[in-house]
Amino acid sequence: MSNDRFLAKDALGDFLCHCQGLGYTVYSPQKQEGVRESVVFAPWQKGCEIQLAKATVSPKHLLLPQSEVLFRFRHEKGEEGKSSAVHLEDTSQQAQPTLLFAARPCDARGFTMVDRPYLQGLYADPYYAKRREGLCVLTLCCNSGCESCFCHWTGGGPSSPEGSDILMTDIAEGLVLQAITEKGRKLLAQSDLPEAGAASDQATELRRKAWQSLDKAPDLTEAPHKLKELADNLDFWTEQSRACLSCGACTYVCPTCYCFSISDERRFSGMEEGVRLRSWDTCMARHFTEEASGHNPRALKAQRLQNRISHKYAGYPENWGSFSCSGCGRCVTHCPVGIDIRHIVLAAIALPDTQAKEARS
Amino acid sequence: MHLAYFPGCSAKGSSLDYELSTQAVLNALGITVWEIDDWNCCGSTPAHAVSTELSSALCARNLDLAAKAGADQLLTPCPSCLSNFRATAKRLEDPDFREKVNALLDTPCAETLPPTSSVLQAIGELVDCETLAKKATISLKGLKLVAYYGCLMSRPPELMHFEDPENPMLIERMLEALGAEMLDFPLKTACCGAAFGIPKRPLTAQNSGRILELAANLGADAIVTCCPLCQMNLDLRQAQAEKAMGRHFGLPVPYFTQILGLALGIAPQDLGLAKLVVPMDALLPKLAPKTSAPNA
Amino acid sequence: MRIGVFICHCGSNIAGTVDCARVASLAAGYPDVVYATYPMYTCAEPGQAAIEQAIHEHRLDGVVVASCSPRMHEPTFRKTVERAGLNPYMFEMANIREHVSWIGRDIEANTHKAAELVLLAVEKLRRNRPLYSREFPVTRRVLIIGGGVAGIQAALDCAEGGIPVVLVEREATIGGKMAKLDKTFPTVDCSACILGPKMVDVAQHPLITLYAHAEVEEISGYVGNFSVKIRKRATYVDWSKCTGCGTCMEKCPSKKATDRFNEGIATTTAITIAFPQAIPKKAVIAKDFCRQLSGKKCGVCAKVCPTGAIDYDMQDTFVTENVGSIVAATGYDLMDWTVYGQYGHGRYPDVISSLAYERLMNASGPTEGHILRPSDGREPKSIVFVQCVGSRDPSLNRPYCSGFCCMYTAKQAILTKDHIPDSQSYVFYMDIRAPGKMYDEFTRRAQEEYGTQYIRGRVSQIFPNGKGQLTVMGMDTLLGKPVEITADLVVLAVGIEASRGARELAEKLRISYDAYGFFMESHVKLKPVETNTAGVFLAGVCQGAKDIPASVAQGSAAAAKVLTLFARDCLASNPQIAHVDNKRCVGCGKCVRCCPFGAISTCTVRGEEKAEVIETMCQGCGLCTATCPQGAIQLAHATDDQILAEVDALCQI
Amino acid sequence: MPCRQLIHHMEAAFPPRPSQRAIHAEYSMNETIRLSKSSSPGVAASPSFSQEVASTSKQPIHTCYQCGNCSAGCPAAFAYDLQVNQIMRAVQLNQKDLVYRAKSLWLCLGCATCSLRCPNNIDVACVMETLRHMARAEKKATVPVVEKFWLSFLNMIRTFGRSYEIGTMVLFMLRSLRLTTDVDLAPQALVKRKLGLLPHTHQGREAVGRIFTRFHELQCKAREGR
Amino acid sequence: MPDIAKTERRIVGFLCNWCSYGGADTAGVARANQPTDLRIIRVPCSGRVNPLFVVRALLHGADGVLVSGCHPRDCHYSTGNFYARRRLELLKHFLPILGIDPARFAYTWVSASEGQRWQHVVTRFTEEIHALEPAPHFEELEPLYLSQRQSTEPKRPFMPQPPDLLAKLKEEIRTHLPELDCVLGWQKGRDALHAVPFFLRQEEDLERLSLDATCHNSLVRYLPEYKGKKVGIIVRGCESRALVELLQEGLIAREDLHIFAIPCHGLLDVARLEEELGRYQHLENLVIEQDSLRITVDGKERSFSPQAFLRSTCLGCASDEPVLADTCLGSFTAGESTPVTAPELALLDGLNLTERLRFWRGVMDRCIRCYSCRNSCPMCVCHDHCIAESRQPHWQSAEHSVTEKFFFQIIHALHLAGRCTGCGECQTNCPVGIPIFALRAHLNRVIAELFSGYQAGRDAQAVPPLLSYMVDEANIQEREWQ
């Protein structure tokens, strides 16, 4: 692997500065103080401490901002309010080249799961596409497993390269950078980082060890089938969702939840003008499916939990051939009431067929 | 409780009998007080008539002495001194004023000053009437008395906090408990004419005269006082008042401590009774040992 | 929406300091505004016609007028747009006169401000919805609380107008304070002679139901439909049997009962009839003084009662009456003058209140009309009257004038001279207030014909001089000399205070009261009889100090208001009220708790508790809207969205 | 205590005043009060006087409605040339001269009966005291005998730290030239030992002396400042 | 008109229609000259003024807000201004903790006849606002990040639960379970450090019942879902107070509840323990003792002081005595609560106004609007109808701006005023660790100050302070405007 480069820990700042020089806005994990530490991906500036910890919240907001302006509208009037026209102003062309530093393999794999519906469907989402194109992902491999992570259950792993442009392995004195995509190769080529040499082998060994450290993953092949059968089993889902608070923590920390809401927000400027917003929405909230009539097809939290789990482990696989869960475990750690998606999926698989089919409406 | 004691200038002069009887009564009631060292005159009326700051500086020095001696409370028999102390403590709450007063003093006045009280009020608070009656050995039965508090004891009410400002009853409650007949005395808080006896005699003679006349009309045997200045005006200057009113009164004007002392069985000479200008001698024979002994 | 904006010049009132044309041209750019103009006088007939025309011409569905205060012309313009076919509530005003042109001279700043206020109005109007009143039936009965002269007058006028009346009186007899008076000023005619017939009329009128010795316990409901729970306090005498013969009074052995009717200058029996002309003339036992009821053996009255009316086991009972309107006529009480230590705290028997003096002079009083000193029964020769005792005294939190003391003091001075020709009266006063018809002449007569000495000054102290008389220390401020009078009797013209329990009653009635407990009228000048609670009216001193003629006039006025209210079968409700969004309401009851009118109840909708607004009771204050955390209850015309839009329009501009 | 030193202290702290009689003579006529600005003869108002009194005394002068209660209860009213309520009125009308020449100011006994019974909660006694301070600051004490008595009293305190009755009397008699003051009381007072013949002695008197010295210095400074 | 914009300040007035608006009219009629800055919004009653309108204006750029109503007792609606007085006074005390200068807000009373007073009030207030800097733009402030580490001594020292408590509790539940639909308790979640809510239905479930200082979720939160059913619930002191609040609001029925009260000496801050433990794969053992907290992770035993890992929200708790209980287990500490300032609040107390605003600017930025704070709060009874997400009324936009996020926390805090029982779940469950408990703790402190020591949930019969009033408020010093 002669192309691998070595990035010494004390040269991290210089490297990121170099990337900024290439026109990238650099996002890196940053610790922010509060009641307790929180690690979030935020714009990096020279002098910022460089964190390598796994972030509390996934970096999906780099592609899907918490809210984004799709367009602006303005009702324009002529003299004395006589003639009038609605003026629209597009905002999709404003994506900046962005470099994401020290994402984790689950984060990067998460991008691929969002890519499919946003880029590979009938219509590509232009807002998303622009950002995706400009995004360069530098992923830091995990050197060990973690109690709450389960990337290897869903087809990933501590050094899985999907979604990454460069994979980085932490070998204590520095990082070994391995280009995965052309974009990554180009970035490495533009850098003056030294060749990794022997460090490259050290990195390979660490990655192997990480894989070995993982507990054995259960077989989830049956999951889509079982979940489909369970779709109408309200008893099962009521039991699973009993503690659910219907908050949005699970969906908002998730790297693969991509649902949104559209709303128009007026500006009070003395004119009729405003913006159309696309903003994160959570399927765990009651209002997510509330219809204008007041009718709500998923009025119960049991139905909403069923929808969320089934989408990730049954619906999405049916359309795109993979689970839409990268196993990052954030929903597990951040659920205020400890709802564990692993347990639900395993419980569904464990249920004998006859019981699963016992449909209740 | 550390009770500091400020006798006031008159205690060492014109009202020596008040001082004697006060000490004797406090002693008999088991109340221990410490006279503060090195006290000075509170400035009385002339000081505050001339300058509030001067008056407060004179008072503050005394309050400061009491504070530094660790007093929990500062007692004085004289309502005028008390009034000046209270007014000073109140004014010192204003930092600007405090600064002005401190500028007059050798050392700045202590931040926290002990509360001040009159001997009368303190006795009222420390010894209830029942206890007082139990301790008494002589009955005051047969004495028809009026209590005269003067104006400063209860005014201004927001400073003095002494009973109903129009109708204080503390002396009445005490002496009634000891057997005396206390007459309702509407002029009990009227002004005696204050220190004007010297510069403007008619002012004092007229006012003291009114008080004496009403007490005489009501048939009182004596007027019981708690203020050295009032006592002096009603007693020493009684002849001047008689002249002004055109009538003879001959009313003894003892201090409440003297009457209390008599009831507690203290010898008249220890109460300075001989110092009264209008003698009480005619009343003394009315006093007799209590007939009903306790538990009898 | 299509909004028209009219920026009024108001002659030069607005145009003098606001560039109206510029405001109109800015307004034309505001959202939904399709027409903007700047007429000279918008409220004038041509101005209103122009609005109507514009509504038709430009197909407007909302109108903003920027002119004077909406408190002035909002009703006017609502009618204007209604004439043009719009819902009257699709209208908003911007106040650019009182709040802009009249308070600042900078044209630039004023114009800018006016334009922003118009924007506020436009943003609010865009969120207005048409509102419609509802009609509801009324119960044509009236409750009158208080049987003094004002209440009696109101009751008789209502009953004569054909309205059934429920009259509740706290005492055992109606008549109020007037029944205690000897004579009345300025004619010096006998109080009992003029009031007595009216009291009898009340007793005999078929449409009047009288509950004496009773109090209002609870009031619920709203204008047209009140429900009133009345507590009939136990009298221990079955009034259906009592004939008022008075035998029980003669035989009652407990003779030391406080005689409240005689203002405490005498005592009476435990079982008593207040006075010979009492209505109803029925006996009542004062529990505290009755031997039988205090657990001792007695039972004399029960033995002597010829009709067997005595019932020692009687308990309070309750009746509920439904009425459509309420008149509060609860009168006043004398303040407790014994707080004045300088007047002896009440411990000198010959210092008495003016009302006690009325009883001393009254032929039906304890002295049978002979003025005798309470201390020794001697006839006083030197009488001092002191005015403003408890009136105009901020140190006792009674800064107000009691209104009638000057007059009755003059009357009492005159009557004193009539009773005791060799007496001399002195009146200490601060100012003589005698603005009524024949009033000033009357006070002059007291001085000129009856030789009463009027001395201008307050009295500092009153005390016994030890010789059986009282020393009164006063001041003649006209001479600048202190005055001392030796008096046989001192009469204090004691000021009035709100009737005992007035505040509690106001809270039951949901009306306001002032700092002293007097009930608040709706407008001090233009709505002196109405309160802010629809259907509740005021009569007499409960609203503020007044004398007998004024009380009677207000009693009649209140009756007129009741009759006006009942002239229609149905009432229209105010549509600017709160509405509950059942989808959002979680039934937590916070709105129910704080509604000042009890206008929110709860109901069950599909098994869930929801708040429900009683349309006729809601007065539209919006407290509930500010209280509801989920915004489920919204005040029409002042919704959260409307106020938020106004805030945002101001802050995001 | 050497007598000379005593007199020296007295003179230093409270220098003798110019003849008060002269001030008196100025106002022997009964004049019209000119409230508006006018050149006609009469007593002009001092515009900020009532405000100054109100702010110095912290009392709501303007709430006085002339009920006369203060005067009615005043024990010195019989001796007043201008009654308390009239003084309040004069203050309201900014009649500084009228107030300053009233003897009443100096005859006030300070008993506060007026304050106690004022229906408007005005501390009238405090207003009177404030007026005395203000008048003294303008050297207008119209009853010198009272002032002399105060000063005599204060001089004793300055010298001895405590009051010394006989000293006060002697000094007062010297200053007021009223050599027979209270001689009628002397026999009894002396027989009954009502008066201490010698002043008290204590260490604090020097500290008290320093209080007076500083007070005097500050007063001089304030006067120069003005 | 840019010139005006430079010389004027943005001042918003809320005036009641009947008195103050009339007073402003009277001032106008008298041609009483006034500064032009103020813009008046007419409302029916000062009681209609939701304090959130005021905050909204101040956060969105108003330099000052003035509310004026009828004088107390003169309210056209009888009592509306009494309620307004309490709420606005509370707001006045709340603004500083947000970093908003309370001088920017004033409330007063002006009657329709008091034109002069109105002129005076407007002139004074406008002058005061001009004397301040223009209001800072929240979004443009530089964030201030500060570390908040527990530094306060707990009010009561930590104690592990008595060893036999769980067994006793199980016995009690076993007795009562037959008459109950369900019992709300806790069980272990993914490992021994993580407890989750547990809904016991059958006797077999008792085995899984767990009870220790990691069981943090407030089960009261679930009770309204069980309305009409008979349920058992395990509560600690703060949770019993939350029960009282829900009972006061009629959202649960006492007769449907069986309350098992247990003592509590503070809960563990699991998130901070996780921070200390770092990434681990297996957690085998958790032992909680008086002085040591031992956890075995990946074969290694780590030991901690439980005192140092108490939840900050528990530190100020004086008493675990249940207000309501059917079955009491263990012994409780009755305590007069002289509240200890929570460390997150102490941190804010030590900052000046600008620093506080910058602090919130920093921490609120990372809010993801997941609403865990709200949804785990036992007092957030609006549940699916929160105004944060409704379009009508439209209090909040969907925009993820830091102002909107901050405004939500203000809404939450003010809606909890007088109701918050201080369980701290809002903060504990925040995925990004925003110290929002400080706002609640501050409001609780203010409520106690203003309303004679009132504490939510202490007395089932008490009327919540913001839903009642006193004609003469003992602790509210209204401004005199002299």
Side-chain angles (χ1 to χ4, degrees), chain A residues 235 241 245 285 315:
Chain A
D235 283 352
S241 67
L245 301 172

PDB file of all heavy atoms in Angstrom, chain A residues 235 241 245 285 315:
ATOM      1  N   ASP A 235     -50.147  -5.712  19.371  1.00  0.00           N
ATOM      2  CA  ASP A 235     -49.717  -6.148  20.706  1.00  0.00           C
ATOM      3  C   ASP A 235     -48.199  -6.117  20.819  1.00  0.00           C
ATOM      4  O   ASP A 235     -47.637  -5.619  21.793  1.00  0.00           O
ATOM      5  CB  ASP A 235     -50.203  -7.574  20.994  1.00  0.00           C
ATOM      6  CG  ASP A 235     -51.682  -7.572  21.341  1.00  0.00           C
ATOM      7  OD1 ASP A 235     -52.231  -6.463  21.502  1.00  0.00           O
ATOM      8  OD2 ASP A 235     -52.276  -8.661  21.416  1.00  0.00           O
ATOM      9  N   SER A 241     -43.164  -0.477  22.531  1.00  0.00           N
ATOM     10  CA  SER A 241     -43.157   0.988  22.564  1.00  0.00           C
ATOM     11  C   SER A 241     -43.659   1.540  23.886  1.00  0.00           C
ATOM     12  O   SER A 241     -43.793   2.743  24.039  1.00  0.00           O
ATOM     13  CB  SER A 241     -44.036   1.544  21.437  1.00  0.00           C
ATOM     14  OG  SER A 241     -45.384   1.212  21.700  1.00  0.00           O
ATOM     15  N   LEU A 245     -41.299   7.798  24.537  1.00  0.00           N
ATOM     16  CA  LEU A 245     -41.809   9.119  24.899  1.00  0.00           C
ATOM     17  C   LEU A 245     -42.217   9.920  23.679  1.00  0.00           C
ATOM     18  O   LEU A 245     -42.607  11.083  23.783  1.00  0.00           O
ATOM     19  CB  LEU A 245     -40.729   9.891  25.664  1.00  0.00           C
ATOM     20  CG  LEU A 245     -40.217   9.265  26.957  1.00  0.00           C
ATOM     21  CD1 LEU A 245     -39.018  10.042  27.473  1.00  0.00           C
ATOM     22  CD2 LEU A 245     -41.309   9.227  28.007  1.00  0.00           C
ATOM     23  N   ALA A 285     -42.972  11.394  16.168  1.00  0.00           N
ATOM     24  CA  ALA A 285     -43.923  12.376  16.684  1.00  0.00           C
ATOM     25  C   ALA A 285     -45.286  12.154  16.047  1.00  0.00           C
ATOM     26  O   ALA A 285     -45.393  11.768  14.889  1.00  0.00           O
ATOM     27  CB  ALA A 285     -43.435  13.787  16.389  1.00  0.00           C
ATOM     28  N   GLY A 315     -38.684  -2.176   4.938  1.00  0.00           N
ATOM     29  CA  GLY A 315     -39.115  -1.357   3.796  1.00  0.00           C
ATOM     30  C   GLY A 315     -37.940  -0.910   2.943  1.00  0.00           C
ATOM     31  O   GLY A 315     -37.923  -1.114   1.714  1.00  0.00           O
TER      32      GLY A 315
END
